[in-house]
Amino acid sequence: MNRLRNLLRILLISLTALLVDSCSKDSIDPKENPQTVTSQVSIVTETNVVSEPSINGAFKINLSEAVNNITTVNYTISGTAINGTDYKELDTKISIPSNTISVIIPIEVYDDQETESNETITITLTSTSNPKVTLSAVKSAMITISANTETFTLLPEETRNYMVNPNATNETTAMFYNLKTISKTNYLVGQHDAFSSFYMDIGGDSDIKKTTGSDPALLGSDFMYITDDANNETSSNWYFQQEQSIKQRVTEAYNKGMVNIFAWHFREPFEGLEFYTSQMSDYQKQNAFKSILPGGINHDYYKRKLEKIAEVAKSLVDNNGAYIPFIFRPFHEFDGDWFWWGASYCSPEEFKTLWQFTVTYLRDDLLVNNILFAFSPDNKFNTEAEYLDRYPGDAYVDVLGMDNYGDFISMTQTGVDEANKKLKIISDLAIQKVKIAALTESGYFVKPGVTDPDPQFYSKNLYEALTNNDVNLAFMMFWNNDAEKYCTPPPGLATTNDFILFTDKPESLLQNEIPNMYELPL
């Protein structure tokens, strides 16, 4: 009897072990269950506008994660252009090979030798053959076929097709449309911290309003204090107090009809103290950017910072409960080496990867729908190719910008011409890509006793850079004034009259001259 019991016990243990082993293999062995990844498929355009006879384009189908088998993506084709007549015929499905992240649907435009109005091609993803691959929120994209990209006209009802976020709020969409439309004839004049930073610390109205009688048309702010590690979100905390003050000023600007734009002087992720490389260790400089990339040791830290930005974005609401839109300008002046996100500390591909992650995390995961994204190098480029070296793609950028102080410092015509040449590159690209062009940060700092004022900086040098050679910009922004120096002169200074001449130019718009930026025309 005991022998029989022992045999039964051994048999039971063996059967249990076999079942456990079998279950374990079913759940974790990728060879037995290769499709363990859940991925989302989205569509973007390689360029928003193509033209007859030779400027072609493409749609790009992207997976958020590669999968281990072939995935067929089905789609519909619509628009006013005729498949197979106006462009080379397309199928209504495409296969993504296993372990591949993206595929291209090329658009080869046919030249029919006829003068036509703009025509459109819209592809909408409908389903996939893979149950582990689902459609993302970005499942439709549009390309316009234009007889001439120079004559392209953005229609209000088509605006979302050219924006980073097809689910943008009505107010954000209207802001994009109105900025794009304004750029054909005018530009908004803005200033960073206009409501909180003043020359000689003389508060009250903005320094621009003290001089001109009107506030600027655009207000610059910064996420620096808001995302600081020391912000513990308690009422007695200085950083949290700054967050509340910034939100109040942004709301004030919006209520005045102004446009808001945020920079981000993001402190390095190891100690959270500095953003200038001159104040960082060699290890921090060489590793800060890489550490916040997907898979990096500080990537979760970076996600928490983006979650804070999303929280603030969703807390900015007007009296009707609508989200207040703003332009977000992360990683600005990235072609220099003074910030840890500069070109010396990351490759172009690493920069693009982080930019794309930033956009998709805010848009797709955190569902922020009131942001336009601005790409803003310094003035280190001289060609279109150099400007686009770190460009993450049309699907991830709304505003093509440039920061530029260096070309104006010499106070020479050569410097003015250099600035204008670079703005022309941006302006032409914005026309081709249906984006917004801007001088996102600039100025000439005057510090009495140290820096001599330029008597014609505003009405000649800056104005010519902004307008010569048919440059079309939606806005330009001066940096802030402070106790010791100014970018925009208050009344009674040597350059005050020159500044007034600049703001009186027919192209220059201040707050009291701008149209309703947050409504689309009927």
Side-chain angles (χ1 to χ4, degrees):
M1 180 66 70
N2 289 336
R3 185 177 179 185
L4 179 60
R5 286 177 181 173
N6 288 336
L7 287 171
L8 289 172
R9 183 180 298 171
I10 292 170
L11 180 61
L12 180 62
I13 291 171
S14 299
L15 287 171
T16 302
L18 181 62
L19 287 171
V20 169
D21 183 58
S22 176
C23 290
S24 298
K25 285 184 178 180
D26 281 346
S27 61
I28 64 172
D29 188 344
K31 293 181 181 178
E32 295 294 329
N33 184 18
Q35 186 61 293
T36 59
V37 176
T38 299
S39 183
Q40 287 192 325
V41 62
S42 60
I43 183 170
V44 297
T45 60
E46 292 284 270
T47 184
N48 285 328
V49 179
V50 297
S51 67
E52 301 174 9
S54 60
I55 300 179
N56 296 314
F59 293 93
K60 187 176 184 181
I61 309 295
N62 294 317
L63 291 179
S64 59
E65 299 284 345
V67 293
N68 293 333
N69 51 14
I70 296 173
T71 299
T72 299
V73 180
N74 301 302
Y75 57 85
T76 60
I77 305 168
S78 58
T80 57
I82 300 173
N83 187 14
T85 299
D86 294 309
Y87 54 93
K88 187 174 181 179
E89 187 170 3
L90 302 179
D91 197 354
T92 56
K93 61 183 178 181
I94 191 168
S95 293
I96 305 175
S98 62
N99 300 312
T100 302
I101 207 74
S102 65
V103 291
I104 294 294
I105 303 174
I107 299 298
E108 183 178 330
V109 180
Y110 291 156
D111 184 10
D112 54 18
Q113 303 296 322
E114 295 179 8
T115 301
E116 299 173 306
S117 58
N118 293 332
E119 298 174 305
T120 60
I121 311 166
T122 298
I123 288 184
T124 302
L125 308 184
T126 57
S127 63
T128 78
S129 64
N130 191 333
K132 291 292 184 178
V133 177
T134 59
L135 301 181
S136 79
V138 185
K139 57 185 178 182
S140 182
M142 186 179 81
I143 287 178
T144 297
I145 302 175
S146 176
N148 184 347
T149 56
E150 296 285 340
T151 62
F152 172 82
T153 299
L154 178 63
L155 299 178
E157 63 271 21
E158 294 180 351
T159 301
R160 281 188 174 90
N161 294 312
Y162 300 102
M163 297 172 62
V164 167
N165 190 347
N167 299 312
T169 66
N170 291 337
E171 293 75 16
T172 309
T173 304
M175 184 171 76
F176 182 101
Y177 173 83
N178 287 310
L179 285 171
K180 181 63 178 173
T181 302
I182 281 171
S183 68
K184 295 180 179 180
T185 54
N186 300 92
Y187 50 80
L188 309 188
V189 176
Q191 184 161 28
H192 187 78
D193 282 347
F195 293 167
S196 57
S197 193
F198 314 94
Y199 180 54
M200 298 183 67
D201 285 338
I202 300 174
D205 289 334
S206 66
D207 283 346
I208 287 181
K209 187 170 184 178
K210 291 169 189 162
T211 297
T212 67
S214 173
D215 279 316
L218 175 142
L219 176 69
S221 302
D222 202 320
F223 279 117
M224 175 175 62
Y225 294 144
I226 292 173
T227 60
D228 195 285
D229 289 350
N231 183 357
N232 64 13
E233 301 186 351
T234 60
S235 59
S236 60
N237 180 266
W238 183 87
Y239 291 93
F240 186 66
Q241 292 169 3
Q242 298 309 303
E243 175 184 332
Q244 301 308 306
S245 296
I246 291 167
K247 289 163 59 176
Q248 182 179 9
R249 293 191 291 269
V250 166
T251 303
E252 178 186 352
Y254 175 81
N255 289 336
K256 290 181 175 181
M258 299 164 59
V259 170
N260 283 288
I261 184 170
F262 273 85
W264 191 15
H265 287 86
F266 181 20
R267 303 185 193 278
E268 52 78 22
F270 291 106
E271 296 180 1
L273 298 177
E274 311 293 348
F275 49 82
Y276 283 126
T277 54
S278 61
Q279 300 166 337
M280 293 167 59
S281 70
D282 288 340
Y283 177 82
Q284 290 171 333
K285 285 187 286 189
Q286 297 300 328
N287 292 280
F289 193 92
K290 292 175 173 58
S291 78
I292 63 173
L293 286 166
I297 59 174
N298 288 317
H299 183 61
D300 286 342
Y301 173 90
Y302 181 60
K303 289 170 67 175
R304 290 195 296 273
K305 297 306 179 184
L306 294 181
E307 288 158 12
K308 179 62 181 180
I309 288 172
E311 173 197 318
V312 170
K314 292 181 177 181
S315 72
L316 293 169
V317 293
D318 66 13
N319 293 331
N320 298 316
Y323 291 125
I324 295 172
F326 62 88
I327 301 166
F328 182 31
R329 189 168 64 100
F331 307 120
H332 67 296
E333 299 173 11
F334 55 79
D335 48 347
D337 61 1
W338 46 93
F339 295 131
W340 55 267
W341 53 83
S344 298
Y345 310 109
C346 61
S347 69
E349 288 309 310
E350 287 171 334
F351 185 86
K352 294 174 188 178
T353 295
L354 188 66
W355 185 286
Q356 292 169 359
F357 172 81
T358 301
V359 170
T360 55
Y361 193 62
L362 286 169
R363 181 192 63 197
D364 302 342
D365 292 86
L366 302 177
L367 303 179
V368 180
N369 296 321
N370 55 326
I371 293 179
L372 300 183
F373 294 88
F375 177 80
S376 185
D378 198 53
N379 68 336
K380 306 303 180 188
F381 64 95
N382 287 290
T383 66
E384 179 181 300
E386 290 176 344
Y387 181 82
L388 295 175
D389 181 53
R390 290 171 181 256
Y391 185 65
D394 292 352
Y396 304 95
V397 174
D398 294 297
V399 178
L400 303 178
M402 171 181 68
D403 292 6
N404 194 351
Y405 298 93
D407 288 330
F408 294 110
I409 291 175
S410 65
M411 296 186 285
T412 65
Q413 188 62 46
T414 299
V416 172
D417 293 342
E418 278 293 303
N420 176 253
K421 178 189 74 173
K422 295 164 188 175
L423 289 173
K424 177 65 173 173
I425 291 172
I426 294 171
S427 173
D428 288 350
L429 282 170
I431 291 171
Q432 296 169 21
K433 296 174 176 294
V434 195
K435 300 297 180 182
I436 297 161
L439 179 58
T440 41
E441 188 180 317
S442 189
Y444 181 83
F445 293 105
V446 177
K447 186 175 183 179
V450 178
T451 309
D452 293 330
D454 180 349
Q456 57 183 8
F457 170 70
Y458 303 103
S459 66
K460 182 183 183 299
N461 293 1
L462 179 59
Y463 176 73
E464 288 184 1
L466 295 173
T467 60
N468 282 357
N469 297 309
D470 297 320
V471 166
N472 294 331
L473 303 177
F475 64 89
M476 67 80 48
M477 187 179 75
F478 293 103
W479 198 240
N480 63 276
N481 293 353
D482 61 33
E484 298 182 341
K485 62 183 181 300
Y486 65 84
C487 262
T488 62
L493 298 179
T495 56
T496 300
N497 288 337
D498 185 54
F499 183 75
I500 293 172
L501 287 174
F502 169 72
T503 57
D504 282 345
K505 297 284 188 181
E507 296 89 348
S508 299
L509 297 181
L510 294 175
Q511 177 269 332
N512 63 352
E513 300 167 306
I514 54 176
N516 188 335
M517 300 298 296
Y518 302 107
E519 285 188 5
L520 287 170
L522 298 176

